[in-house]
């Protein structure tokens, strides 16, 4: 199984001195990051519809064996909630192609108000818009989706059901829906025992590839953790 490991975002000034050199410029951060981790989850595309002019330079700054996972724009997931988004989806998927073989999955993350009882038809229609060869992961905040059999819908299209672990929620079950998996490990702290347990669970899946992203920094009191859990996880994975 191929493991892609990284963090949600990379361009954090708070990481200077604990991960990045103190004197590094913002333009040097991605290259530095890409030499140490092999994937990153990009939040920029959630707030801004991406352009080829923005994305193309990213691909040139990282090694060949690197993957960008990009969050789908909020106009698709939050504002329109998959209704009448054919034009936006077509533009989004076409633009991502500029990343070439460094393009990882697109993450579609929905609010809790996105409920299966009312939104399932929109999801079914949207799945038909996904081009062949594009990997998409779906992060549903409403538990109604598991009850509605969303796994079967995603499985038919080869899409991944995103697994997300949070401090305030119990550890979720892994539901495999594709030949690859997408995990967001969002707890504030992970010790080696917890990381090894996750590694064992991931390797127990029938996946060819797994994308694992850690929370970008510590919130609340205490030191900033930065990418340390991701670095440690990758080291434990060998």
């Amino acid at each position: 199984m191929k493991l892609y490991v990284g963090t949600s975002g990379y361009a954090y000034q708070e990481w200077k001195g604990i991960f990045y050199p103190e004197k590094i410029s913002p333009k040097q951060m991605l290259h530095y990051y890409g030499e140490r981790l092999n994937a990153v989850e990009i939040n920029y595309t959630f707030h801004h519809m991406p352009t080829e002019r923005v994305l193309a330079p990213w691909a040139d700054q990282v090694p060949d064996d690197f993957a960008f996972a990009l969050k789908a724009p909020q106009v698709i997931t939050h504002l329109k909630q998959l209704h009448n988004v054919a034009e936006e989806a077509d533009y989004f998927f076409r633009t991502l192609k500029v990343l070439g073989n460094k393009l990882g999955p697109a993450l579609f993350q929905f609010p809790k108000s996105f409920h299966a009882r009312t939104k399932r038809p929109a999801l079914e229609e949207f799945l038909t818009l996904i081009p062949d060869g594009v990997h998409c992961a779906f992060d549903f905040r409403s538990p109604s989706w598991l009850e509605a059999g969303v796994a079967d819908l995603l499985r038919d299209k080869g899409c991944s059901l995103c697994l997300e672990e949070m401090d305030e929620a119990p550890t979720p079950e892994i539901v495999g829906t594709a030949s690859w998996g997408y995990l967001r490990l969002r707890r504030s702290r992970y010790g080696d025992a917890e990381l090894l347990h996750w590694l064992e669970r991931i390797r127990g899946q029938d996946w060819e590839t797994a994308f694992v992203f850690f929370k970008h920094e510590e919130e609340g009191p205490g030191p900033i953790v930065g990418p340390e859990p991701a670095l440690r996880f990758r080291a434990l994975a060998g």
Side-chain angles (χ1 to χ4, degrees):
M1 181 188 295
K2 174 68 176 179
L3 274 176
Y4 286 95
V5 182
T7 56
S8 296
Y10 68 90
Y12 300 110
Q13 297 297 315
E14 297 86 355
W15 288 7
K16 288 185 176 182
I18 64 169
F19 174 63
Y20 294 122
E22 289 281 4
K23 301 294 186 181
I24 196 170
S25 72
K27 292 182 178 180
Q28 297 172 312
M29 285 181 172
L30 181 56
H31 176 75
Y32 187 95
Y33 176 102
E35 291 181 329
R36 290 154 180 83
L37 292 164
N38 65 347
V40 66
E41 184 184 79
I42 298 293
N43 194 54
Y44 171 88
T45 49
F46 176 76
H47 299 286
H48 308 86
M49 188 67 79
T51 65
E52 292 185 3
R53 182 182 62 82
V54 170
L55 299 190
W58 294 354
D60 296 334
Q61 298 176 55
V62 294
D64 289 338
D65 188 22
F66 189 92
F68 291 94
L70 298 100
K71 283 190 183 180
Q74 61 182 333
V75 66
I76 295 175
T77 57
H78 286 60
L79 300 181
K80 290 192 170 184
Q81 297 198 355
L82 300 188
H83 289 287
N84 301 318
V85 295
E87 183 177 344
E88 292 89 346
D90 177 68
Y91 174 85
F92 178 60
F93 289 130
R94 281 190 291 107
T95 304
L96 297 188
K97 291 181 180 179
V98 73
L99 291 171
N101 61 1
K102 297 171 187 176
L103 173 62
L107 174 63
F108 291 82
Q109 196 173 57
F110 300 95
K112 284 187 177 180
S113 61
F114 191 77
H115 197 280
R117 182 173 56 83
T118 55
K119 303 298 184 181
R120 181 177 175 126
L123 175 64
E124 291 177 348
E125 181 178 352
F126 180 78
L127 291 175
T128 68
L129 302 178
I130 300 174
D132 291 339
V134 175
H135 286 169
C136 292
F138 290 81
D139 185 0
F140 300 103
R141 299 299 173 85
S142 169
S144 65
W145 287 98
L146 286 179
E147 300 163 7
V150 69
D152 291 334
L153 285 178
L154 300 184
R155 193 172 288 118
D156 289 344
K157 190 64 179 179
C159 295
S160 181
L161 180 62
C162 173
L163 181 152
E164 190 168 56
E165 182 180 50
M166 311 284 285
D167 279 325
E168 63 274 15
T171 300
E173 176 188 357
I174 296 179
V175 180
T177 61
S179 62
W180 57 281
Y182 195 108
L183 299 91
R184 306 182 81 235
L185 303 185
R186 319 297 290 170
R187 289 190 182 275
S188 300
R189 303 244 179 228
Y190 284 98
D192 278 4
E194 294 164 305
L195 295 176
L196 285 168
H197 179 62
W198 269 114
L199 187 59
E200 181 181 3
R201 291 185 70 194
I202 291 168
R203 286 179 167 165
Q205 303 303 306
D206 188 22
W207 288 336
E208 298 172 2
T209 311
F211 298 86
V212 185
F213 296 104
F214 289 84
K215 193 175 182 177
H216 70 273
E217 64 181 272
E218 173 79 4
E219 292 181 357
I224 295 173
V225 175
E228 178 56 32
L231 293 166
R232 187 62 185 149
F233 185 79
R234 196 175 184 208
L236 290 170

